[in-house]
Amino acid sequence: AAKITGHCIASYSPHGEKAAYDSLVRMVRERYPLTEGQGNFGSATTSAASARYTESRLHPFGKKLIADLPDLQFSPKEKNYDDSLDQPVYLPCVLPNILLNAGAGIAVGITSKIPGFNLEEVANAVQACLDGKSDDIILSKITAPDLAHCTITSPASETLNLLKTGDGSIEYECAYKLETKGKAKLLVITGYAPEFSVSGFLLKCGNLQDQNVVQAVRNETSEDNGDRIVIQYDTDEDLAKLLKLIKKKVSYKFNVLVDDGAGLTPKMMGVVDIVKRWVESRKNLTKETIKQLIVKQAVELKRQEAKLKVCSDRKGLFAALDDPGDFCEALVKYVGLTAEEALLVSRMQIDSLKKASVEELKKSIEKDKKDIEKLQADLEKPEQVIKKQIQ
C-alpha cells in the first residue's frame, strides 16, 4: 500500500501520503468496495495499520465497474499537476458510483454529502432512465439510502424530499437487539449508524453508569464478533435513555460538479437529476468509444485485406522483395496493391506473410466486417450497449 500511495501522490495528486492512504483504506471498507485489502484496514472502532504493513489490489467489483470497460482508453484526457502525464478527466463507470458509496467533502466553501444507495436499485433507476421513463418512475426505483447495519427512523416524507431535492436530513438508529442473561437485561448494539461515534457513545455510557442508568458496558467488537457493544440496564426507563443515544440525525446536500459548457461548476440536484445527467454523459462517451472502435477495426480490416492480396500472390511478393527499388512501390507494381495497402504490408514481418493461410485470412476478414456492422448498429442504440454492461 505504501507503494500505491507513493505512486499516487508522485504522479497524480500531491495532497500527501495520509490523504492518499486514507482514500485507499476507505475504498477497501466501502459498502461496494473498489479495492480489496490484505492486512489490518481497521474498522468502525479501530484505525488501519500503516501503509507499509498492508497490501491492496483492485477488487473484482471495481474491475467490473471501471477497468473492464473499453471506454477508459477513449475518455477525455488532461495533463496531471506537473504536465508530465495524461490522466482521465473522469473514470467511466458501468453505474454511477457517486450514488453507490457514500461520499462527503468540501471545496471552495461548498459542502457535499451524499449517502450510498442499493446497487440493484441504482441499476434499476439507470435502466428506467435509459428506457425513457418518467422522473417519478425513476425515483420510485430508489427508495432510501442502503443500510447494512442500521435503520431509518425518519418519516418516509423526509426521505422522499431528500431524494427529490438533494437537500435534507435523515435520522438513523443503530442496529440492536435486546437479550437477557440470567436476570440481567442487555442492550446489544450490532451495527452503527452513519457518523455514529463509538468512542463518544462509550463515554456517555460511562457517565450514565455513574448515575446508575447503566450497570455495565463492554465493547466486545472483534474480527469474530463483528460490531458488538453490550450494555446492561435495569428498567425500561433506562432502556429508553439508551435508545436515544443510538440515534443519529445526518444532514445531506447533493452538490455535484456538472459541465455547463464553460467548465465544471457545482450544482445541487436530486437523485433523478444525478441519474439523468450520468446517463447522458455515459451515452456520449459510449458513442465516442464505438466510433473509435469502428476506426480501429476498419484499419485492421484494411490490414487483413492487404495481407490476403499479398498471400494470394506470393510470386509477386518475392518479385517485390528482389526489386532493388522502393519496397512499397514494388508491391504496387508486382502485386497490384494500393499505396496505402503497400505501406501496411511493408510493416509486417516477412515470416508472418510466409506462414499466413489464405483461408484463415478470409475468415478473419469476414469476422472483421461483421464486427464493424455490429459496432455501427450499436452506435445507433448506445442505450442497449449500456444496459448489457449493467446486466
Side-chain angles (χ1 to χ4, degrees), residues 173-191:
E173 185 175 67
C174 294
Y176 72 91
K177 54 185 177 180
L178 301 179
E179 298 180 357
T180 57
K181 191 173 182 180
K183 294 183 179 181
K185 297 179 180 179
L186 304 176
L187 169 65
V188 182
I189 300 174
T190 58

Side-chain angles (χ1 to χ4, degrees), residues 135-278:
D135 289 3
D136 288 340
I137 292 178
I138 296 172
L139 184 61
S140 69
K141 303 297 182 181
I142 300 179
T143 56
D146 188 32
L147 307 171
H149 305 295
C150 62
T151 56
I152 294 176
T153 58
S154 294
S157 58
E158 288 188 14
T159 303
L160 182 61
N161 179 68
L162 172 65
L163 298 182
K164 281 185 174 181
T165 65
D167 187 12
S169 59
I170 295 180
E171 185 179 71
Y172 301 94
E173 185 175 67
C174 294
Y176 72 91
K177 54 185 177 180
L178 301 179
E179 298 180 357
T180 57
K181 191 173 182 180
K183 294 183 179 181
K185 297 179 180 179
L186 304 176
L187 169 65
V188 182
I189 300 174
T190 58
Y192 309 123
E195 301 185 19
F196 179 78
S197 171
V198 175
S199 58
F201 174 74
L202 293 174
L203 181 61
K204 291 176 181 177
C205 284
N207 294 333
L208 291 176
Q209 201 168 2
D210 295 336
Q211 303 170 26
N212 291 323
V213 174
V214 171
Q215 304 306 312
V217 56
R218 299 186 304 277
N219 186 359
E220 298 180 355
T221 300
S222 69
E223 187 173 341
D224 294 331
N225 292 337
D227 297 330
R228 183 177 173 86
I229 298 177
V230 181
I231 306 105
Q232 182 180 339
Y233 65 95
D234 280 340
T235 67
D236 290 343
E237 290 181 357
D238 296 339
L239 175 61
K241 292 179 181 179
L242 289 170
L243 292 179
K244 288 182 180 180
L245 297 180
I246 64 173
K247 293 182 185 293
K248 183 74 178 181
K249 195 158 191 175
V250 182
S251 297
Y252 293 103
K253 288 186 180 296
F254 297 6
N255 282 313
V256 181
L257 285 175
V258 297
D259 190 350
D260 60 0
L264 294 175
T265 56
K267 181 180 179 180
M268 183 179 293
M269 59 181 68
V271 166
V272 173
D273 286 335
I274 292 176
V275 170
K276 291 171 72 173
R277 280 184 174 269
W278 181 88

Side-chain angles (χ1 to χ4, degrees), residues 60 80 85 91 253:
N80 67 336
L85 294 169
L91 294 178
K253 288 186 180 296

Side-chain angles (χ1 to χ4, degrees), residues 9 98 101 106 151 214 227 232 259 314 331 340 381:
I9 62 177
I98 190 173
N101 290 311
I106 183 170
T151 56
V214 171
D227 297 330
Q232 182 180 339
D259 190 350
R314 295 183 192 274
L331 285 170
E340 183 182 9
K381 295 182 178 180

